[in-house]
Every structure is written in structure tokens, then in C-alpha cells.
Amino acid sequence: MTLATMSEKEPLLSKTDIKIVNGHKRHLGHLENYFALLQRQELYGNFSIGCKLNKGITYAELAKGLRSVAIENPLMIHTMVPETEHEKLDELKKYYRSKEYLDTPFPKHDYMEVLDSLRIEDVVVNEQSEVYGELLNEIKEQFSKDHGKISETLCDLVSRIRIPAYLPDKPNWRLLCLSRGGNVEKFDTLLFISNHCCADAMTGINLFKDIVDTINSDTVNDIKDDALQIWNYGRDHSIAKKLPKPITERVNYVPSILTFIWLIITTIVNGIFNYKSPCTETERVTAANPQKCYQSIVKFTPAEVTQIKQRINEQKCTMTAMLQTALCVTLKNHGIFDNRKMNEITFDVTVPNNTRKSIPDELATDQYKYGANVGGLHYSYLISSFNESKFWSLSRYYDNVLKTADYLVGLGSLMLDFVVQNKNIDAMIADSYLNKKRGGIILSNVGFINTTTTQDGDIEIEDLLFMQNLGVLNFTYGVNIVTTSTGGMNICMSAVEGAVRSQQDFVALGNELHNMIMKKCTTNN
């Protein structure tokens, strides 16, 4: 029934109901709910994408770019709305951790809803000193000490930023704006920081590319009366696209029963034989108790990347497979496995993938450019096989595993009807993640991003970095990789405190990794 045909006796639709009619409010999909529960249960902190520009941009230019994104992809300006109304965020947090909630299955997930309004100060961390206060000052001081570079120490500080979900007036991400020269009006270093709700690494990368493209063009009109306003629902909803369907309605994540049973069996077996790191057991990630991690940034120039690509082509494997081999061999050479117990025979590796590859290109770029559209392969490998003398044969083996694997079964098992209808997913995940010993690596390679522009004088992305701490995901090491045409390849690694001897030791491990890769890719070894 439309508004025009409603009788006078029937109540008018509420504001939020109108958003449903307009396609700007809907239930979370199963995958979206998974990332939301990581926040509800305080199991994850944030990830970030760092972007270096060749010249500074102003808040007004940033707002112009974000406005274009909001109209074309309103998913980026949503917040989450609970099925059960709670007036205050503190009350909602208590409810999601209560026995009342955790003992009850919720087949219908919470909502996502496009915000009523959004201004630049709602998303820029620099303008939220009342929230981030001293941490923001530390970040600015560290950036100055590092002469305008994103360093390991800066990565650690940024990882402490918490972005609450379910805020009624703010989205699930922020931007941190910094300047190499200390300029307070123009910023050439931006960090997209997200709590992972409806955002992945490609979301941050696409956001920066779209912002730069919009600023470089004159196709979007500025808002003359308020240059810092990004979005106003009353004014903009009629020209904005609808929220896309959840990716799980486009890609079938759900495994067969036999596949699910096999997953359970292998999970139990691997739990017995997998390496357990010396880190303390996993615990919730809170603002008062941030996760303590070491950081190591490993950089490869564009020329080095060219050498690496030539070598892996000769050896008939992929970049991700080679990097996995280099990591595992370097960890073994560094002595990480020297003191393992007798039953620690295997080492677990998770490799996320981009689910957008499973849908038509025009759909992926039109509706699914943004969102947490991921799957992941979780596999265990024999520690005894991490032998440098078999580097390339091991890389080819991993390449075959990566090409033939089912990347959807792990997350898809949470979407089975009999699971969703009978279990509280928050409770299931919290029980399986909390108070556990950590295992191996999550290796996330977002691939090659072309950042070269053709027009002189354009704003250009010089470099990108992908940074992430692990929260209570049961891994010891996070390894995040992005390669650009202008900046080369950056590997940003984190290790939970206790995994290695010190921050300096972890930087040394990163240097060993760089040397290992270049040795294997510039010689006949």
C-alpha cells in the first residue's frame, strides 16, 4: 500500500517505515550480522586503510567526495538499529550481553538504516576530540615525529580507536586526516578506520579512489550554503540509490550437510594438532583494555614488485601463495616453532577472499563496491614442511590449495537454517572465540590497485597501507597486503604481545621476510 492509497483512519508511516519503502532500511544479511555481532560482543577492534596523496585536500573537498559516495552508495552512510528498542547505547550493550538475549535464537537480524544527516565532523576523528581526546593528540604527535610517515607506532595507536556500532547519528567508520607539513587546513594523509560492520579493505580503497575521482572532476555540485554537509535525508533521498541486497542473497555461502559435517571433523582434528602460540588466551577488546600488539611494516618498491612478479610467473604460482610460503619459512627460521609441544604438528593459516569476484562485474562495481563482502579459507599445514630449500615447490602447492578451496564454507556454516533457527549466533561465536589459545596467521592480500592518473595536476594516490589487529580471532599474526602502481607493495603485520620477544624483534622478523622474498625472487634459489 502506498501513502497515496492509505485511508484517513490508518496511521501514517513512521520516518523509519518510509525508509523501508524508499529502500533505505532493511534487515542485516547473515554475513552482515556476523560482523555486527563482533561489535555487540566486543570481539574485534578496527581495521584501517592508510592513503597517501600527492597533495593536500580540504574538508570541503573531502565532503564533496563523500557526498558523491553517499548518493551512489548509501550503504556507506548507514547505522544499525536494534530489533528491540533501547533508548541509550549503554542499555543496548547490556542487553546484548544478557542471558535474556544470548539464550534466545534471533533468526531475524537487526536493521541497517541510512542516516538522517551527516556532516564532516561526524566522520572526521580530528573533529571528535571529546571522544578521542588524548589518543588523538598522541597520534598527531607521533605522525610529526615520524616526519609524515605511517609508522609501526602510529599503526598501534590507530588500532586503539574504537567506533561504536548502533550510534543513531554516525556510521561505522571514521576518517583520520593528517598532513606531512602539519597543515591544519589541507591533509595529504588519510586513514579510513572501520569497526568492520559492512566494510572490508576494498571498501576503504574504493572510498579513497572515489573521493579522488570526484575531487578531480567537476561533475558533482557543491552544496553552496554548507560546504561541510555530506548528506541530508529530506533533501537527498530521492536522488540516492537504494541499499543493495545482502551479498549472501547473491552468493550462496551455505554448505551442504556433508560439507558441514566434514568441517566439524577437520576443526576438531586441527584443534588437537595445530600450533598454540605462547600468547595469553583471547579476551574481549574494550576501550579500557586495548589489545596489545607489535607491528612491523615491510615495504617493496615498484621495481622490486616487478622483479617479484617476473619470478612468480616463471615459477607458475601466485603472489599470495608465494607470500604465504615466505611467511611460514621465515617464522620457522626465526625460531617461532622451536619450543612447540609434541602435539603441535600443524600451523593454521586463514586467507580471506573477495566475494565480489563471484558476481558479475557490472553488479560488483555498481552495488557491491562497498560492504563486508568476504569469505575465507582456513587450512592447516605441516610445520615440518616449512623448508627453505623447497620454497618454490611449496609455493606451487599452496597455489593449488588456494585455487581449489571452498572459501565460503566457514562463514556459510553459520547460515544453515537449523543453526540460525535454533542457536543464538552471538553466543556461538563468543563461546568459540573467547578464552582460547591462539594459533597461526590470517593472511589478507587485497591485490594490485592501479593508482596512476593520466592528467597533470590531478590529485593522485601515492601509496596505500592495510592495517589490522586481530581482536579475539584465534590467530597470533595478522598479515595485511596491498600493492599499488605508484607505491609498490606494503605488508603490514601485527603480532599479539607474547608471540615474539619485543617490538624490535618483530621488526627484525619483518626485515628477514623482506630479505627472504628478494633472495628467492632475484636468484635461482
Side-chain angles (χ1 to χ4, degrees):
M1 181 180 293
T2 65
L3 285 173
T5 61
M6 292 178 71
S7 72
E8 292 182 1
K9 294 182 179 180
E10 291 174 318
L12 289 175
L13 290 174
S14 69
K15 174 182 63 178
T16 52
D17 289 332
I18 289 173
K19 288 183 180 178
I20 291 176
V21 172
N22 290 340
H24 296 144
K25 180 179 178 181
R26 64 163 172 79
H27 282 289
L28 298 172
H30 287 315
L31 185 61
E32 292 164 339
N33 181 62
Y34 168 77
F35 289 107
L37 77 83
L38 295 183
Q39 292 303 314
R40 291 195 294 259
Q41 301 304 321
E42 295 184 307
L43 306 179
Y44 184 82
N46 71 43
F47 75 88
S48 58
I49 300 293
C51 174
K52 287 276 191 182
L53 301 175
N54 64 332
K55 62 178 75 174
I57 62 174
T58 65
Y59 277 167
E61 289 174 314
L62 182 58
K64 176 182 175 180
L66 291 172
R67 172 172 163 74
S68 177
V69 170
I71 291 169
E72 291 296 315
N73 297 276
L75 181 77
M76 282 300 288
I77 53 167
H78 83 275
T79 188
M80 276 160 339
V81 181
E83 273 274 2
T84 304
E85 293 293 336
H86 288 78
E87 292 185 2
K88 296 181 179 179
L89 189 60
D90 288 344
E91 293 175 359
L92 185 62
K93 286 181 178 179
K94 290 178 182 177
Y95 169 69
Y96 283 132
R97 299 279 290 280
S98 69
K99 184 176 176 62
E100 172 193 0
Y101 174 74
L102 294 173
D103 285 352
T104 306
F106 283 92
K108 283 189 177 181
H109 305 310
D110 289 340
Y111 289 94
M112 67 163 61
E113 175 183 349
V114 173
L115 292 164
D116 289 338
S117 64
L118 194 69
R119 290 178 55 81
I120 202 74
E121 58 262 34
D122 294 323
V123 294
V124 172
V125 172
N126 308 52
E127 303 304 311
Q128 298 176 5
S129 57
E130 75 283 0
V131 178
Y132 299 108
E134 186 55 38
L135 179 57
L136 178 59
N137 291 333
E138 288 183 58
I139 289 171
K140 291 178 179 178
E141 289 174 7
Q142 188 62 48
F143 191 70
S144 178
K145 286 180 183 177
D146 295 329
H147 306 290
K149 294 182 179 179
I150 298 177
S151 66
E152 283 90 354
T153 304
L154 190 75
C155 287
D156 183 56
L157 291 172
V158 170
S159 74
R160 300 178 195 176
I161 291 176
R162 296 306 308 276
I163 303 170
Y166 296 90
L167 291 178
D169 57 350
K170 291 181 176 61
N172 291 295
W173 54 273
R174 300 289 183 273
L175 287 174
L176 176 64
C177 300
L178 302 168
S179 174
R180 276 176 272 200
N183 192 327
V184 295
E185 295 182 356
K186 286 196 171 187
F187 308 94
D188 53 27
T189 303
L190 307 175
L191 283 88
F192 170 80
I193 308 164
S194 173
N195 58 23
H196 223 327
C197 294
C198 290
D200 55 15
M202 283 308 305
T203 294
I205 291 168
N206 287 331
L207 180 67
F208 288 129
K209 292 184 72 177
D210 284 350
I211 288 171
V212 166
D213 287 345
T214 300
I215 296 173
N216 284 334
S217 71
D218 294 319
T219 57
V220 178
N221 293 324
D222 289 318
I223 305 169
K224 301 303 181 185
D225 60 335
D226 192 346
L228 300 187
Q229 189 177 60
I230 297 166
W231 169 262
N232 178 281
Y233 193 80
R235 182 194 62 211
D236 299 325
H237 76 273
S238 62
I239 59 173
K241 291 184 178 180
K242 295 181 179 181
L243 292 169
K245 294 179 180 179
I247 191 72
T248 45
E249 293 186 21
R250 303 284 189 183
V251 179
N252 183 20
Y253 277 69
V254 180
S256 68
I257 296 299
L258 287 177
T259 302
F260 176 69
I261 292 172
W262 179 247
L263 174 67
I264 298 298
I265 292 171
T266 54
T267 299
I268 293 171
V269 172
N270 289 337
I272 296 170
F273 295 108
N274 276 347
Y275 167 81
K276 311 293 190 304
S277 81
C279 304
T280 57
E281 293 183 348
T282 51
E283 54 187 24
R284 296 186 195 273
V285 181
T286 66
N289 185 31
Q291 187 177 55
K292 296 179 181 178
C293 284
Y294 303 122
Q295 313 288 336
S296 183
I297 300 176
V298 184
K299 299 180 73 69
F300 296 83
T301 66
E304 288 175 326
V305 172
T306 298
Q307 290 179 299
I308 294 169
K309 286 182 176 179
Q310 289 174 345
R311 188 69 169 134
I312 62 176
N313 287 337
E314 292 170 2
Q315 292 295 328
K316 295 180 171 56
C317 66
T318 56
M319 183 73 78
T320 301
M322 184 278 294
L323 292 172
Q324 182 179 311
T325 303
L327 281 160
C328 291
V329 171
T330 301
L331 287 171
K332 188 175 183 181
N333 289 353
H334 195 76
I336 295 299
F337 306 118
D338 286 352
N339 298 313
R340 71 183 192 275
K341 298 175 184 176
M342 290 297 293
N343 64 325
E344 294 174 347
I345 296 170
T346 54
F347 187 64
D348 56 317
V349 178
T350 283
V351 180
N353 82 322
N354 183 355
T355 315
R356 297 171 183 84
K357 297 176 182 177
S358 301
I359 58 178
D361 288 346
E362 63 274 14
L363 191 61
T365 55
D366 178 46
Q367 296 187 33
Y368 295 93
K369 181 184 288 187
Y370 298 100
N373 302 317
V374 297
L377 166 67
H378 192 174
Y379 205 88
S380 293
Y381 301 92
L382 288 170
I383 293 172
S384 59
S385 70
F386 301 158
N387 193 325
E388 186 177 346
S389 65
K390 297 182 179 180
F391 187 94
W392 290 113
S393 61
L394 198 57
S395 297
R396 288 187 289 272
Y397 170 75
Y398 292 156
D399 183 43
N400 184 63
V401 171
L402 296 175
K403 286 178 178 177
T404 58
D406 183 348
Y407 286 85
L408 304 177
V409 61
L411 290 169
S413 64
L414 302 175
M415 305 173 195
L416 287 159
D417 284 344
F418 71 86
V419 175
V420 174
Q421 297 291 333
N422 297 291
K423 297 289 185 180
N424 182 289
I425 306 299
D426 287 49
M428 276 183 57
I429 295 298
D431 289 345
S432 63
Y433 285 2
L434 286 168
N435 305 311
K436 300 293 189 297
K437 294 296 290 184
R438 293 182 180 273
I441 287 177
I442 182 167
L443 168 63
S444 185
N445 181 12
V446 297
F448 175 80
I449 310 297
N450 186 4
T451 52
T452 304
T453 58
T454 57
Q455 298 293 325
D456 290 339
D458 275 356
I459 294 171
E460 180 178 337
I461 295 174
E462 290 185 341
D463 208 2
L464 292 167
L465 294 95
F466 172 20
M467 298 155 281
Q468 177 177 217
N469 276 11
L470 293 162
V472 300
L473 302 180
N474 301 142
F475 299 99
T476 307
Y477 304 95
V479 181
N480 307 290
I481 307 148
V482 60
T483 306
T484 63
S485 51
T486 48
M489 181 167 65
N490 293 316
I491 304 177
C492 298
M493 302 192 295
S494 61
V496 178
E497 185 181 48
V500 291
R501 288 183 288 273
S502 64
Q503 171 65 45
Q504 292 74 21
D505 184 44
F506 196 43
V507 170
L509 190 148
N511 291 335
E512 291 171 26
L513 175 64
H514 184 280
N515 294 338
M516 168 77 69
I517 292 171
M518 292 313 300
K519 180 174 72 172
K520 295 298 178 182
C521 293
T522 55
T523 68
N524 290 322
N525 288 336

